[in-house]
Each structure stands twice: as structure tokens, then as C-alpha cells.
Amino acid sequence: MTGGGCDKELKAKRLFDLVFTVPGFLILSPLFVVLALAIKMDSRGPVFFRQERVGRKGTPFRVAKLRSMRVDAERVGTQLTVGKDRRITRVGGFLRKTKLDELPQLYNVLAGDMSLVGPRPEVPRYVAMYSDAQRAVLDLVPGITDPASIKYSDENDLLAASPDPERTYVEEIMPEKIRLNLDYAARATLAGDFRVVIETLKRVFF
């Protein structure tokens, strides 16, 4: 049900997102302020980072994150972040480790671009490499977290250990993520989505 299924399922999922996202914004607003101040004190540049991603049905949108890298990061490196990437700021390292850099995507959820649970939206460069079978993942609403993100919470370390991170991601990690998400979507329920959210929060805070 994660992004797929009939209109009734999509409406139920949308309601699920709003029930948790609206209070989440209110509760987390003081944390946003603290993190924003830390980012501004740590390095030059804006608090937020926006990047084009591919959403449901191949529709592009701009995902929001707390900036965790230097402002020229995409000009001086690849779109993959590998291990202890020198482009990552001091505060950015903490944000990435705790996944707090993803918090602004609650706005994307409110805007309807994303869901709380769904496949992580990919950049156009990698979507262009999808096979016909893999493009089925674009029928799903992208999300802040998903079973694949939980399994690959150490993705940066896996890429850092590879002699060819780009190849490892495209040929091994990306296909497995898509497989996991399609498998989850085929049997997903709102209760299942709730468990994914709880498991994600456990990994972030504990």
C-alpha cells in the first residue's frame, strides 16, 4: 500500500501522514531552531539544502534537508556520499549520523510530495539507470523512511569499503533497495508503516 493501490488506500495513507506530521512539526520546532543555529555557527551557507528528486509517476520535486555539507559540495564531488566525505561539515556529520538532516522532509510530506513511509526518492541520474522492472518503484509515493533505509543504515560505510563506490551502489545496493521496497509495498498496511516509523525512531535516538 506504500504509494500504490486504490484511491481509498492512498487517502488512508495520506490521513496517516497528516495525523503524525502536523503534531511532529509542532513538537520538533524548538529542535529545528537549535539545529539551524548550529549549522549557521559551524559553516558558511544556508540552513537548508534542496535537491531535485524523482517522485511518484516520475514527477520531479525538490526534497528539503538540513545542510550537512559545504555549499559547493555537488560541484566538487559526486552525488554519492562515501564514508568520511571531506565535504561534510562538523555539524553535518552529527546530522547525518542521527538522520536529523532529514527532518525538513516533514514539509515535503505536508506538501504531498512524500509520505512518512515509502521508498527514498532517488536523484534523476540514478533513476535514468532503472530497468523497466525497477521503474515499478515509481508507482509508489516516496517517503522519509522505508525498510530498505533501515537495512542500509550503514550505506556510507559499505560504499567507503568498496574500491568502486559508484558501481557498488548502482549494481548492488540500489537494485536491492528497490526489491525490498516493491516487496514491502505488495503487503504493506498502515500498521506496518507505523512499525517502520517506530523502528526508524529507535535507530535515530537509541
Side-chain angles (χ1 to χ4, degrees):
M1 185 174 61
T2 308
C6 67
D7 289 342
K8 183 177 179 180
E9 291 173 330
L10 288 173
K11 289 178 180 178
K13 186 170 179 63
R14 179 64 177 159
L15 179 60
F16 173 89
D17 289 337
L18 294 177
V19 165
F20 287 96
T21 302
V22 173
F25 252 122
L26 297 176
I27 294 170
L28 294 171
S29 55
L31 178 59
F32 273 115
V33 174
V34 171
L35 294 177
L37 289 173
I39 292 169
K40 294 298 289 185
M41 293 175 64
D42 180 53
S43 62
R44 177 180 61 86
V47 170
F48 298 102
F49 169 72
R50 295 178 69 85
Q51 184 184 53
E52 183 178 3
R53 298 293 178 95
V54 179
R56 186 169 184 254
K57 302 299 183 183
T59 303
F61 71 99
R62 295 183 69 79
V63 74
K65 290 188 174 187
L66 290 173
R67 182 176 59 83
S68 61
M69 303 180 81
R70 45 192 278 195
V71 291
D72 60 349
E74 290 197 314
R75 294 198 299 272
V76 298
T78 69
Q79 291 182 312
L80 281 181
T81 306
V82 180
K84 298 183 182 299
D85 196 309
R86 293 185 178 181
R87 298 173 296 171
I88 299 175
T89 64
R90 287 174 298 177
V91 169
F94 168 77
L95 293 175
R96 283 174 171 267
K97 183 177 181 180
T98 58
K99 304 298 183 183
L100 291 175
D101 61 322
E102 311 284 0
L103 281 180
Q105 287 162 45
L106 291 174
Y107 167 79
N108 289 112
V109 175
L110 287 179
D113 297 321
M114 295 176 65
S115 176
L116 287 176
V117 179
R120 291 294 300 155
E122 194 57 271
V123 296
R125 164 182 166 78
Y126 293 119
V127 172
M129 301 178 187
Y130 285 1
S131 67
D132 288 343
Q134 289 173 335
R135 292 188 71 83
V137 78
L138 298 180
D139 290 334
L140 312 176
V141 179
I144 294 179
T145 187
D146 60 5
S149 297
I150 293 172
K151 177 178 179 179
Y152 285 100
S153 58
D154 61 344
E155 180 180 316
N156 285 353
D157 294 332
L158 291 175
L159 294 174
S162 169
D164 188 342
E166 178 90 1
R167 184 173 181 177
T168 296
Y169 182 75
V170 172
E171 296 184 1
E172 298 178 23
I173 295 177
M174 187 174 76
E176 178 62 8
K177 281 185 171 182
I178 293 173
R179 186 194 68 77
L180 287 170
N181 282 316
L182 290 176
D183 179 64
Y184 180 77
R187 54 182 175 78
T189 63
L190 292 181
D193 282 4
F194 183 74
R195 286 193 293 271
V196 171
V197 171
I198 294 301
E199 181 62 28
T200 300
L201 291 175
K202 286 168 58 178
R203 287 177 178 265
V204 168
F205 293 107
F206 302 106

